[in-house]
Amino acid sequence: MTCPCCPAGESLDIFGERSARRELRRYLRRGLGGTDAKLIATWAAEAGLDGATVAEIGGGIGQIQAELVRRGAERGTVVEVIGGYEGAARELARAVAIADRSSFVLADLVGAPEAVEPADVVVLRRVVCCSPEGPALLGAAAGRTRRTLLASYPRDRAAVRAVARLQNAGLALMRKRFRVFVHSPSELERIAARHGLERIRRSRGLVWETVQFATAVS
């Protein structure tokens, strides 16, 4: 299996159908989880969802796009390269009565951005940290954004980098190929700016930084 922001062919056996089913059960019991996920949904709603299209990149089972469609977006799309998420994503859409307004697309956004339709609202939650190519993924997502891009990624702090190194050491010991990367938020913002987006909001927690980019007004 592969990750939507990892090098092609990279084996990621920490992701797949089993984790998808676990996420689905958790969502159906508790709703949207994670402070950054809730913040992304709130900011997107405040920006206006009436008639909007949503693309959740690397969205797994598509919890955030489901929430945004339920809150008024016209339709949502989950973009993944892990096929094991598709069944659970479609089950979630049926469970919350948005099956006719939600779709699942298998696509490598970095390698083939044209495979993903532009959307008014694009979401990248905890995805750019999956690969050294994370900044390229954010750039590709920015290129498919019509109005607003909402993302969360690890803060570039010494403590966060130390934890990432420990996680990667543990993954190596378990012979997993997945690794965690901490990218410079300034670099990510520069990449978004190249695509005509400017940061308008930022919230920082202990680990995660959540950012809203919007189309720059000239």
Side-chain angles (χ1 to χ4, degrees):
M1 285 174 281
T2 57
C3 172
C5 62
C6 295
E10 192 81 4
S11 174
L12 291 174
D13 49 3
I14 66 171
F15 299 120
E17 188 171 355
R18 181 178 297 179
S19 61
R21 291 290 165 186
R22 186 166 56 247
E23 289 179 25
L24 176 62
R25 290 193 297 270
R26 185 183 302 119
Y27 177 81
L28 293 178
R29 287 198 309 266
R30 306 176 186 173
L32 195 61
T35 300
D36 59 330
K38 294 175 181 176
L39 190 56
I40 285 171
T42 297
W43 284 355
E46 288 176 358
L49 292 172
D50 187 30
T53 55
V54 178
E56 186 175 0
I57 312 299
I61 64 172
Q63 301 170 51
I64 296 178
Q65 63 88 35
E67 285 289 319
L68 298 185
V69 172
R70 293 175 72 186
R71 295 186 191 191
E74 181 177 333
R75 65 176 299 103
T77 302
V78 186
V79 181
E80 267 289 356
V81 296
I82 302 177
Y85 280 117
E86 184 170 4
R90 295 191 183 281
E91 188 173 332
L92 184 154
R94 289 193 297 270
V96 298
I98 63 163
D100 59 335
R101 294 189 291 148
S102 179
S103 58
F104 186 97
V105 175
L106 285 171
D108 176 1
L109 186 63
V110 174
E114 68 283 352
V116 178
E117 291 290 329
D120 299 309
V121 180
V122 177
V123 175
L124 277 172
R125 180 187 180 235
R126 302 187 183 187
V127 182
V128 298
C129 53
C130 294
S131 167
E133 295 185 357
L137 176 65
L138 185 135
R144 310 312 282 170
T145 300
R146 290 198 187 103
R147 284 182 5 205
T148 187
L149 169 64
L150 299 119
S152 64
Y153 35 74
R155 293 188 62 187
D156 189 11
R157 303 172 59 212
V160 174
R161 292 193 298 272
V163 170
R165 287 194 293 270
L166 287 174
Q167 288 180 319
N168 289 337
L171 289 165
L173 287 173
M174 293 186 291
R175 302 193 177 188
K176 306 293 184 183
R177 297 177 66 184
F178 177 71
R179 296 293 182 270
V180 177
F181 297 85
V182 179
H183 300 290
S184 164
S186 296
E187 178 188 4
L188 297 172
E189 290 181 18
R190 285 194 296 271
I191 290 171
R194 290 177 201 155
H195 292 272
L197 301 178
E198 60 183 2
R199 174 172 59 81
I200 61 170
R201 284 185 181 180
R202 177 174 62 194
S203 176
R204 288 173 166 170
L206 289 176
V207 177
W208 299 101
E209 182 165 324
T210 305
V211 179
Q212 180 178 11
F213 301 97
T215 306
V217 178
S218 57

